[in-house]
Amino acid sequence: MKKAEMRERLDELEAKLEKIKNWCGAYPLDIFPEPDFKIVAQVLKDKNLSLDTVSASNFRHVLNGVKAIIDDN
């Protein structure tokens, strides 16, 4: 790989990393404080839902967002 190509690739990867870093700050604690997970789990259980399924869905959303940045989507 030529030096110019390497520089271009490095710039591309640095831009993607910056997007991921920005995404990491999307939900600051001063605006979105941590909930009481025992209460949340009970409320969900009362509706036949589980905190595990909600958490898994949220994690998939985050990871799909990171993947989209990496894949340029």
Side-chain angles (χ1 to χ4, degrees):
M1 186 178 282
K2 294 180 183 179
K3 188 174 181 179
E5 292 170 333
M6 289 174 59
R7 180 76 245 170
E8 185 177 318
R9 180 68 174 145
L10 179 60
D11 290 345
E12 175 188 337
L13 293 173
E14 286 177 339
K16 289 179 181 186
L17 180 59
E18 188 63 29
K19 285 181 183 179
I20 291 170
K21 284 173 62 177
N22 289 338
W23 217 60
C24 289
Y27 301 100
L29 286 172
D30 60 330
I31 296 172
F32 300 97
E34 291 291 337
D36 182 327
F37 286 108
K38 287 183 179 182
I39 293 172
V40 172
Q42 186 60 52
V43 169
L44 289 170
K45 184 178 179 184
D46 291 347
K47 299 293 183 180
N48 293 318
L49 299 167
S50 77
L51 185 55
D52 292 340
T53 57
V54 173
S55 295
S57 176
N58 287 335
F59 277 112
R60 278 191 298 272
H61 171 73
V62 170
L63 293 173
N64 284 335
V66 171
K67 184 179 183 306
I69 291 169
I70 293 168
D71 293 343
D72 285 327
N73 293 329

